[in-house]
């Protein structure tokens, strides 16, 4: 199939293949390692009987390809877990069962995702406004003092760790000025206003870091576009500078910004570990840190799989949006 539909199908097929390869890598890294895999999976506090039960559930006596097949079967068809006295069924998509809490990993992920989505969605709005706006202004004022100042601020934003920005914001805004309470996550359905107020500082902390990258990309892309022949033609015909910036140069930067934003959102859903830990937000990142500390291997594997899924999905969406913004990509 040719044209845009064929391009979309190829990108989706590529995403499926990438997810399959990713699942193989994750399985090998976590479950085909030296040492007692059953003991590592169950945790340091498990009794020998519990470790033996985990070994049976993981099919450790089977060949590697059979064990991986059982792993995939659990994801797509579900699987049964024996607790010693009864058998519990984990419905698809089954990512395993925590041996520390007894909860299904899928339930844990679904409970944590709204928090991470809330953090990333609000931060995305801020980093797009700040990043794109700063990049446009920097390209427009090229060679002037304001452009140098904006470039220096952008470089500082790229180099500053997110926990430094978060700590400064909490000390100044919450401690010294007392403009906001210290963040404490409130569900959007319970109180939308408190949900937004309590997430404002985490949004700013994450957005200020990401906005720096968007500012640099927007500036570089717009400067490249402004140097092209058709821009000089518009200026020669008397088109105003603001119209050139808004209608033509910014449109040339849109495709790159869309692609970067899709990838950034996918990465931030599972990668905002420092932001969630610093502000005590019970999201995917904080849960992953907790699972690593207590060696809750099924939860770690499930979280890594979910994070990888969003990254791969975001890359596929980025390719499709890029093609929609620039149809020349479809023919490449």
């Amino acid at each position: 199939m040719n044209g845009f539909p064929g391009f979309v199908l190829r990108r989706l097929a590529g995403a499926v293949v990438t997810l399959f390869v990713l699942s193989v890598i994750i399985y090998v890294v976590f479950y085909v390692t030296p040492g007692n895999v059953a003991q590592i999976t169950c945790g340091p506090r498990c009794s020998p009987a519990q470790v033996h039960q985990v070994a049976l559930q993981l099919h450790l006596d089977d060949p590697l390809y059979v064990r991986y097949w059982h792993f995939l079967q659990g994801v797509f068809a579900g699987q049964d877990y024996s607790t010693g006295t009864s058998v519990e069924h984990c419905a698809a998509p089954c990512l395993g069962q925590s041996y520390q809490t007894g909860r299904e990993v899928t339930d844990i992920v679904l409970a944590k995702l709204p928090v991470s989505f809330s953090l990333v969605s609000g931060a995305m709005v801020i980093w797009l406004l700040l990043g794109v706006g700063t990049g446009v202004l920097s390209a427009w004022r090229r060679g002037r003092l304001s452009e140098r100042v904006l470039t220096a601020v952008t470089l500082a934003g790229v180099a500053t760790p997110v926990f430094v920005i978060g700590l400064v914001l909490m000390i100044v805004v919450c401690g010294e000025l007392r403009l906001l309470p210290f963040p404490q996550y409130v569900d959007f359905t319970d109180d939308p206003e408190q949900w937004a107020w309590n997430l404002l500082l985490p949004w700013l902390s994450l957005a200020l870091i990401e906005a720096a990258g968007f500012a640099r990309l927007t500036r570089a892309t717009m400067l490249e576009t402004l140097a092209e022949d058709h821009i000089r033609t518009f200026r020669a015909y008397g088109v105003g500078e603001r119209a050139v910036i808004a209608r033509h140069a910014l449109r040339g930067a849109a495709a790159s910004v869309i692609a970067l934003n899709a990838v950034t959102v996918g990465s931030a859903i599972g990668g905002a570990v420092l932001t969630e830990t610093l502000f005590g937000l019970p999201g995917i990142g904080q849960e992953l840190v907790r699972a690593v500390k207590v060696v809750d291997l099924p939860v770690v594997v499930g979280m890594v799989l979910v994070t990888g899924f969003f990254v791969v999905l975001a890359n596929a969406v980025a390719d499709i949006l890029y093609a929609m913004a620039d149809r020349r990509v479809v023919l490449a």
Side-chain angles (χ1 to χ4, degrees):
M1 185 181 294
N2 298 323
F4 187 74
F7 174 84
V8 172
L9 289 177
R10 290 194 299 272
R11 288 297 180 268
L12 293 178
V16 172
V17 174
T18 304
L19 285 172
F20 172 75
V21 174
L22 178 65
S23 68
V24 173
I25 294 174
I26 292 174
Y27 185 83
V28 170
V29 168
F30 286 102
Y31 286 116
V32 188
T33 56
N36 191 335
V37 177
Q39 180 68 64
I40 296 173
T41 303
C42 189
R45 299 181 181 179
C46 289
S47 65
Q50 290 174 315
V51 173
H52 177 69
Q53 185 65 39
V54 171
L56 293 177
Q57 293 176 0
L58 295 177
H59 306 277
L60 295 182
D61 295 331
D62 294 334
L64 177 60
Y65 68 90
V66 176
R67 291 157 58 185
Y68 178 70
W69 169 251
H70 285 295
F71 176 74
L72 285 184
Q73 191 176 27
V75 174
F76 291 102
Q79 57 182 315
D80 295 328
Y81 285 95
S82 173
T83 60
T85 58
S86 61
V87 176
E88 297 180 0
H89 179 70
C90 178
C94 181
L95 298 175
Q97 186 181 46
S98 170
Y99 292 102
Q100 300 295 326
T101 64
R103 295 180 62 191
E104 294 181 9
V105 177
T106 305
D107 293 339
I108 298 176
V109 171
L110 292 178
K112 304 298 181 179
L113 269 180
V115 181
S116 296
F117 275 129
S118 297
L119 172 63
V120 174
S121 60
M124 180 189 69
V125 175
I126 298 175
W127 78 50
L128 284 176
L129 292 175
L130 288 179
V132 176
T134 301
V136 170
L137 185 59
S138 180
W140 187 18
R141 309 288 292 182
R142 182 183 181 184
R144 302 182 184 181
L145 178 62
S146 57
E147 188 265 342
R148 296 190 182 94
V149 172
L150 290 174
T151 301
V153 171
T154 301
L155 290 174
V158 173
T160 306
V162 65
F163 64 86
V164 173
I165 294 179
L167 284 174
V168 170
L169 286 176
M170 280 197 293
I171 292 173
V172 175
V173 177
C174 300
E176 298 295 331
L177 301 179
R178 297 183 181 180
L179 297 177
L180 292 173
F182 285 95
Q184 184 177 4
Y185 182 75
V186 177
D187 199 330
F188 178 81
T189 57
D190 294 336
D191 192 335
E193 183 178 355
Q194 288 301 315
W195 170 84
W197 277 112
N198 281 274
L199 282 174
L200 184 57
L201 287 186
W203 284 343
L204 288 173
S205 300
L206 182 59
L208 289 175
I209 296 296
E210 302 295 349
F214 280 88
R216 298 185 67 184
L217 175 67
T218 304
R219 177 183 179 275
T221 309
M222 288 192 63
L223 289 177
E224 181 180 351
T225 305
L226 288 172
E228 294 180 356
D229 293 337
H230 70 281
I231 297 295
R232 287 195 289 267
T233 303
F234 287 133
R235 287 170 172 165
Y237 277 99
V239 178
E241 191 65 19
R242 292 186 179 182
V244 169
I245 293 290
R247 298 179 183 178
H248 304 287
L250 186 57
R251 183 181 300 176
S256 299
V257 171
I258 289 172
L260 178 61
N261 186 62
V263 175
T264 303
V265 169
S267 303
I269 289 176
V273 177
L274 291 176
T275 305
E276 292 182 358
T277 304
L278 177 64
F279 291 101
L281 301 177
I284 293 289
Q286 191 183 58
E287 179 62 25
L288 181 58
V289 172
R290 184 207 65 79
V292 170
K293 286 181 178 179
V294 299
V295 201
D296 199 347
L297 191 56
V299 177
V300 174
V301 173
M303 293 293 179
V304 173
L305 273 174
V306 170
T307 302
F309 168 78
F310 281 112
V311 172
V312 173
L313 178 63
N315 277 274
V317 172
D319 288 341
I320 294 172
L321 292 177
Y322 198 99
M324 293 175 65
D326 187 354
R327 289 304 182 97
R328 293 174 297 179
V329 176
V330 178
L331 302 178

